[in-house]
Amino acid sequence: QRDWFQANKKAYDQSRAEIVQLCSDVIQELAAFDPSVIDILPTKAVFRIYRDTRFSANKTPYKNNQGFWLTPGNVKDSIAGYYVHIQPGESFIAAGIYMPLSPELNAIRQELNFNHSSLRKILDKKAFREIWGDLMDDQLKTMPRGFEKDHPAADLLKYKSFVVSQKLSDKEISSAGIAKKIAETLSTGIPLVKFINEAISLSKD
């Protein structure tokens, strides 16, 4: 609550400074694999601690986590990118796109309609699966409108998000060299990010 937050503002400011520094370090490390992130400002990439409660039943004014979102070229539209989530016992990193808006989701599905084999090659690659496993389980129960039930990409077309994630322990998060570890892990998600963003870009040409 607000009174508690104000009394602990110095601790929060120190925590945010550490997250901004981590974000800066990850950007520098990740840029060696994906140069499109090099110009991202860490202070812009780190999320605010304040929650948007306008349309939520939960009126708690503050988040209990910190995190940052990196997208190629620092584009703020609905595109794929890299996410780092810091929360005691619940930290994780992710690559892909979460709950894209309808135009972007439709663009991805149209690409899968003709080119699902390319995404399967990415997801089925042994090195990719060993790190990320499967896409996040966020699927429709039935086929999206406009696609046949027996479509060869039926399993992929049902996804509402295209995200892979990996948990990080509290010990890992506070260890030396964590920025490099995060960047190296995220770099293996670059093919997924590129596939999604190319699909979205093609739809706007």
Side-chain angles (χ1 to χ4, degrees), residues 38-185:
I38 190 62
D39 293 327
I40 296 175
L41 292 175
T43 52
K44 298 293 185 181
V46 174
F47 287 111
R48 289 159 49 90
I49 197 70
Y50 308 99
R51 295 183 64 254
D52 184 352
T53 61
R54 291 174 299 171
F55 308 107
S56 174
N58 181 359
K59 299 301 181 182
T60 304
Y62 308 105
K63 301 172 186 174
N64 60 357
N65 63 76
Q66 296 211 63
F68 51 90
W69 173 238
L70 308 176
T71 57
N74 199 26
V75 176
K76 297 302 182 183
D77 292 337
S78 181
I79 67 169
Y82 316 96
Y83 178 61
V84 177
H85 182 98
I86 309 296
Q87 181 179 355
E90 300 290 341
S91 298
F92 66 91
I93 57 178
I97 188 167
Y98 177 70
M99 296 295 288
L101 299 175
S102 292
E104 287 73 25
L105 180 57
N106 289 336
I108 297 168
R109 285 174 173 163
Q110 286 303 321
E111 181 66 17
L112 291 172
N113 188 32
F114 301 103
N115 188 28
H116 61 91
S117 61
S118 292
L119 181 57
R120 290 195 191 282
K121 287 179 181 178
I122 294 170
L123 300 177
D124 292 342
K125 192 173 181 180
K126 183 178 179 182
F128 186 94
R129 293 195 63 80
E130 287 178 347
I131 292 173
W132 298 109
D134 297 320
L135 287 170
M136 183 180 73
D137 187 15
D138 184 23
Q139 294 176 289
L140 297 169
K141 292 183 179 180
T142 59
M143 286 292 289
R145 186 177 300 175
F147 297 97
E148 299 295 329
K149 292 181 180 180
D150 59 351
H151 194 289
D155 56 328
L156 295 174
L157 289 166
K158 289 180 182 179
Y159 278 101
K160 296 183 288 182
S161 298
F162 294 83
V163 178
V164 289
S165 66
Q166 184 186 103
K167 292 183 178 180
L168 292 175
S169 69
D170 293 348
K171 184 177 181 180
E172 287 177 304
I173 284 295
S174 58
S175 65
I178 185 58
K180 184 175 182 180
K181 175 181 172 59
I182 288 173
E184 288 178 346
T185 303

